[in-house]
Amino acid sequence: MLNNKETSELKRRRVIMNRMRMFLIAMSGLFLTIGMITVFLFQTQLKEKETDIPTFYQDVVEIENPASFRALVNKNYRLPADYEPSDLVLLGVPLYNKDKNNEANYLRKEAARALKNLFEAAYNEKGYELIARSGYRSYDTQVMLYDRYVKEDGVEAADTYSARPGHSEHQTGLTIDITSDSVHGGLTETFGETDEGKWVAENAHRFGFIIRYPENRVDETGYQYEPWHLRYVGTEAATSIYNDQLILEDYVLNVMKQMSVLWD
């Protein structure tokens, strides 16, 4: 038979056990709640990420400033069909096709000068010899090319590597596809793995160019990785895009928009 002291001690232990049990139940509920919130937030982030991926060729906007060095031309922003730069000049760099009548051997004056500086720096600094393969491309030429690709590979495949007419950056006269003898003058992802391609990726911004379609942004640009495809945007914009690991869409739709708000 328990005495009064033992009875009190037993009651005290029971109270402590009950309190611990209630604490553990409360903690279990808390952890369950935290887990549910974590899952909810994760699912929300996934949905937001999916929403961030643009839907291509829908609600297309015709740009009002096609002559701007930072004009955004992509699958949702198009150039006027009749736009042709007024300051195209023949490139003064090694050419893949040396025919002066080949429109692909032309760029806008400032972009052509910047490209020459880039090519000379590649040679003077590293001994790399780059080749300009395809620059300006008219609307009519893009119609012909795109239609051919669609017949060969179908619309879905063609859209991953070719722009629909009016949506090609080449029509701006600010874009150039470059290559080298190390890839036999081809336009291939392998160029990005060559010494020349690596140097271009790391130094193009010094001369106002960006790698327009980087490897890690395919879902957003809608184009496969193209280490050969350079777009002239000016040194300030190119340096910002390079340093902050942006694409032109980020810069035009976010950075420039914020800057305009600050200046307004």
Side-chain angles (χ1 to χ4, degrees), residues 186-239:
L187 300 179
T188 169
E189 289 186 12
T190 307
F191 177 71
E193 302 171 7
T194 65
D195 290 337
E196 296 94 330
K198 292 176 182 177
W199 185 91
V200 169
E202 295 171 359
N203 292 277
H205 66 281
R206 294 165 46 196
F207 307 92
F209 290 94
I210 59 172
I211 304 296
R212 182 63 177 91
Y213 305 125
E215 189 171 14
N216 61 340
R217 305 296 292 272
V218 173
D219 287 342
E220 294 155 280
T221 64
Y223 290 106
Q224 61 189 27
Y225 171 46
E226 296 188 358
W228 64 83
H229 183 111
L230 303 185
R231 164 65 192 272
Y232 183 77
V233 293
T235 54
E236 181 180 352
T239 300

Side-chain angles (χ1 to χ4, degrees), residues 2-46:
L2 299 175
N3 56 38
N4 291 337
K5 184 176 180 180
E6 290 173 335
T7 302
S8 298
E9 179 64 21
L10 183 60
K11 288 181 179 180
R12 188 180 70 81
R13 289 181 180 179
R14 286 176 179 174
V15 170
I16 292 174
M17 291 298 293
N18 286 334
R19 288 178 179 176
M20 288 182 64
R21 190 179 297 111
M22 292 176 64
F23 174 76
L24 291 174
I25 292 173
M27 290 301 295
S28 297
L30 177 62
F31 286 131
L32 179 61
T33 302
I34 292 174
M36 293 174 65
I37 292 173
T38 301
V39 171
F40 173 76
L41 291 175
F42 179 71
Q43 291 176 338
T44 301
Q45 289 176 348
L46 284 179

Side-chain angles (χ1 to χ4, degrees), residues 98-117:
K98 297 178 174 58
D99 184 0
K100 292 183 179 180
N101 295 319
N102 178 20
E103 67 179 14
N105 289 337
Y106 288 77
L107 280 182
R108 291 182 59 186
K109 188 175 182 179
E110 183 171 326
R113 181 168 53 246
L115 186 71
K116 185 175 182 179
N117 291 338

Side-chain angles (χ1 to χ4, degrees), residues 124-138:
N124 293 334
E125 295 176 15
K126 291 292 185 177
Y128 299 149
E129 296 184 3
L130 301 172
I131 302 169
R133 177 157 175 163
S134 182
Y136 171 70
R137 189 181 303 153
S138 68

